[in-house]
Amino acid sequence: MGTQYNPQQIEEKWQAEWENLGIYKAIDNDSRPKFYSLVMFPYPSGDLHMGHMRVYTISDVISRHKRMLGFNVLNPMGWDAFGLPAENAAIKRKLHPESWTKSNIKYMRDEQLKKLGTSYDWDREVNTCDVEYYHWTQWVLLKFYEKGLVYRKSAPVNWCPDCATVLANEQVENGACWRHPETTVEQKMMAQWFLKITAYTEPLLQDLDLLKGWPERVCLMQKNWIGKSVGAELQFTVESKPNVKITVFTTRPDTVFGVSYVVLAPENPLVQELTTPENKEAVENYVKESKLKSELDRMTTDKDKTGVPTGSFVVNPFNGDIVPIWVADYVLMSYGTGAVMGVPAHDERDFAFAKKFNLPITEVISPTGEASGELKAAYTEDGTMINSGNFNGLSNEEAKQKMTDWAAQNQSGGPRVQYRLRDWLISRQRYWGCPIPLVHCEKCGVVPVKEQDLPVVLPLDVEFTGEGGSPLGKNQAWLDVSCPGCGGPARRETDTMDTFIDSSWYFLRYADAKNTKVAFDKKKVDYWMPVDQYVGGIEHAILHLLYSRFFTKALRDCGLVSCDEPFTNLLSQGMVVKHSTISGRIEKMSKSRGNVVGTTDFFKKYGADAARLFTLFAAPPEQELEWSEEGAVGQFRFLGRIWRMVQDLLDANVLGKGSKTKKYFGKTGISSFEGLNSNSKALLQVTHKTIKAVTDDLSRERFSFNTAIARCMELVNALYGFVATSGGGGSTESKGGVAVATGGQSGAASSDLANCSEKDKEVLAFSIRSLLLLLAPMAPHLCEELYQECGFAAEGSDGNGSQNGGATIASIHVAEWPGFVEELTTADEIELVLQVNGKIISKTMVKRGISEEEAKTTAFEDEKIKKKVEGQTPKKVIFVKDRLVNIVV
RNA sequence: GCCUUUGUGUCGGAACUGGUAUACGAGUCGCACUUAAAAUGCGAUGCCCGUAAGGGAUUGAGGGUUCGAAUCCCUCCAAAGGCACCA
């Protein structure tokens, strides 16, 4: 029997065995309570590193724990396989995107995810670039088309020159492409396909309140992204053209008496119409200049305000004031009405603009109710209305309401809600994506492909030149099609879908992954959905999570699913960072930073269990984790410590098949101190305490894997102490109520254990069994191996059943999660802290559950306390049960 | 500029609803085993004063609430992230 812990010898063996046994298969419509555990599926880029492994480890531990708790667990995996890198690899290395993607998937699945010891139900694997999958992506899009959620419009769009395609607003960060932070996004006017996500703005916003299991910051980010502003629309009639009105949106209708000008965005079509001949040249130049500016330049807040007057004027409907119309690029055409009213006294931007161009500044809200003379800055706080006609004297909050009402009654506007969220631009001028199932007919216009003609298959025989648009546009045979409407000549849409569409419904397909008739069976989806626990990176706080919420609501309205929200609970794990020798800083693990730790080498050297444990132990899941070789080796040592102890006990016939010790325990195992000596009692107590603590740590409220492992380490330390003392060598002393060993050696001593009482050995066996069960979700291979070797597997049977080699092997991963007895989780003696004025003076051992009276008496009898309170009368004595007595003098 | 989060030993981090600050691990040191090293087992280890017994300060800084604050409140400082001319 080898006593060396060698993960290589056990890990692959068990991975194969688990697959054989099929213990990770989810069962549709099972009677057990369901638990849908989901992890954001990866893009098959080719090679996962330890940084990637964190999210899979966390999600896997949750799944395994739930399985042991008796849930019917769905823990699936798949591939977000359409996307640019595949296409770029095709251009660069002359590989077809399909073969490149497929070989990456094979490697990542078989050599990386499986070797991590994950518990996926691979029968439900999905791959978004498989025609069996994207067939249904197209089908879903057609459903949305029927609902009027898909439309084409010509609009200024974000163009990334590096990707050679347009991007959605959500994919633009700081004016640059989300994939190419160095590449400034250009604005282009193009006819593009959009998904009407704005039809769901309010539900998307309101239902954030339902997401109690989401991190607050994610909800907040979505809320900010949706950007609801409640205000009013006000209309200003053009003085020279009474039939032309300028509509502005404002959140501050209360400041309308302070309007000293109105500004149009340079792109506003009214600019041309309202510019007087003498201002024409200046305005045209200004508009031309601002078009040349990049989005990024225009967005910088701290640059000087620019603008030119149009020469026209408008009438303020409230007070009849005549104010000039300006053009300025601080007003954006894409938000609100593309026109704003300028109130310098109460808006910082307007204040800067008015100062620069010497426009009047009229104060209409004052904190004191009196005009404060010359303002040095805009006053944006609340106050009392002044200089505002009939509204004077009101609070500005009241005035907001009353003035909006007034505008509505006088045909000059009314209440209006404005959102920042805009429709989702979904077309991409790229090849490696899901074809859009629409055709362009000369006669009929845009016509959807008939359902029975789906899928529109992406042709594989195309040429990749890397220049001049999508290869689809050059594939004449694919391009030509007869119109589904009139049968006449028509042309396929050459744009493909944004890959975020593929990932907006993949979690539904897992419920019924192999269905060839429909996208998914509604019954199955309704059984599994919503996802009970989703785990993924914070980078998708807006993008993927908002899109998926939208899809779920839209599909619900198509009658295809029943839930309102797809993901009940969300865990956003932190990044894995490591010191980079390139930058000299601690940075996110990535190839370009040269700080990656590969999986294969690590698994070979220390095993997947050690990798998993370190990832879980080094930091709480939401926090950043710094990879450290020493720390990881520490976990390898911990596993070795368990391994050696169990092997020694097996060799000594204290455990395992050769022993007479009881191997099968009920859910709570040994649940009484009866007949135990002090050593066994202490060990049993630590065991129950550990079961309680780990159970609590793994619960959703905490997901505190790091402390769960720490608790297991304490149990192992206690076990070593027990073996040493009970074995004969060394003596025992009590420290904090727990027996600990001093001296003695485990290896030699364990053979002495054979002479221990059966009762002691039973406690030891129970304790070890509990340890293995608690650690099983986190270190699945080692725990399974030792569990089987000890013969704990045949629980419930008479113990003679075939174990290794037989068909009836009961894996630890389907064993029942251990229970505990509350009374046995604490020692009967506790340390009572004695304080004077909140300072610790003394400590003393007392019985657990000591009464207030007794505790106080004990405190006043304590020598150190006596000395401290001597000659003073206690004002107050505070007692906290089983914790402390505090004497206030 | 606005919003959010986080500041605890040499390092990663514990301390759940205010009640023994520094669990667990890493590192370092010592002892045992060994011809030796590694591995392993055992022990020590936040800081200052002290030979010791013991004492003192301490959870980014300062203040407050409380018998008692890492934890609650206020101000400030630092770091990370999000939003950013959104009217």
Side-chain angles (χ1 to χ4, degrees), chain A residues 472-638:
Chain A
L472 287 179
K474 286 176 229 145
N475 189 322
Q476 206 61 41
W478 181 82
L479 214 52
D480 292 330
V481 66
S482 56
C483 171
C486 66
R491 202 169 169 276
R492 286 199 190 280
E493 172 61 58
T494 57
D495 284 354
T496 53
M497 294 183 215
D498 181 2
T499 54
F500 277 99
I501 294 192
D502 309 328
S503 55
S504 292
W505 74 282
Y506 78 110
F507 45 90
L508 300 171
R509 183 70 179 170
Y510 281 142
D512 193 12
K514 301 294 174 226
N515 200 322
T516 54
K517 304 272 186 302
V518 286
F520 43 80
D521 178 67
K522 181 157 190 288
K523 250 202 226 131
K524 289 183 183 174
V525 160
D526 285 348
Y527 172 77
W528 288 112
M529 287 294 288
V531 170
D532 295 279
Q533 184 64 56
Y534 201 12
V535 186
I538 189 72
E539 67 273 18
H540 289 295
I542 296 169
L543 290 161
H544 163 63
L545 291 170
L546 189 69
Y547 294 148
S548 298
R549 293 182 61 220
F550 160 54
F551 259 57
T552 303
K553 288 174 193 303
L555 287 168
R556 175 200 60 196
D557 293 346
C558 293
L560 295 166
V561 301
S562 300
C563 57
D564 299 319
E565 284 290 337
F567 315 124
T568 308
N569 297 301
L570 176 70
L571 174 65
S572 290
Q573 94 283 358
M575 291 188 300
V576 176
V577 298
K578 192 176 179 292
H579 183 264
S580 155
T581 44
I582 294 173
S583 69
R585 284 185 309 189
I586 294 170
E587 293 186 297
K588 181 177 176 173
M589 204 180 262
S590 78
K591 246 186 211 160
S592 60
R593 295 185 179 97
N595 58 352
V596 294
V597 177
T599 62
T600 309
D601 287 350
F602 191 93
F603 290 169
K604 272 197 187 137
K605 222 164 152 189
Y606 303 110
D609 281 342
R612 293 170 64 111
L613 279 193
F614 176 70
T615 315
L616 296 164
F617 182 72
E622 326 76 44
Q623 250 176 63
E624 200 168 81
L625 181 154
E626 191 182 340
W627 184 269
S628 120
E629 177 92 10
E630 281 111 342
V633 172
Q635 297 305 313
F636 176 71
R637 268 204 291 263
F638 169 57

Side-chain angles (χ1 to χ4, degrees), chain A residues 768-811:
Chain A
I768 285 172
R769 190 195 73 138
S770 304
L771 170 73
L772 296 176
L773 287 169
L774 294 176
L775 213 50
M778 299 181 273
H781 309 91
L782 174 110
C783 292
E784 181 80 284
E785 175 72 17
L786 296 180
Y787 188 80
Q788 300 300 338
E789 279 193 54
C790 291
F792 293 134
E795 184 116 17
S797 77
D798 58 3
N800 296 326
S802 61
Q803 284 152 32
N804 289 325
T808 56
I809 173 175
S811 167

Side-chain angles (χ1 to χ4, degrees), chain A residues 636-655:
Chain A
F636 176 71
R637 268 204 291 263
F638 169 57
L639 292 167
R641 220 164 128 77
I642 300 175
W643 177 269
R644 278 186 299 276
M645 176 175 61
V646 173
Q647 295 304 334
D648 280 351
L649 293 171
L650 285 167
D651 287 350
N653 276 336
V654 177
L655 285 176

Side-chain angles (χ1 to χ4, degrees), chain A residues 856-866:
Chain A
K856 283 180 182 172
T857 313
T858 313
F860 280 106
E861 276 167 4
D862 186 274
E863 287 305 319
K864 285 182 186 165
I865 294 287
K866 267 189 191 164

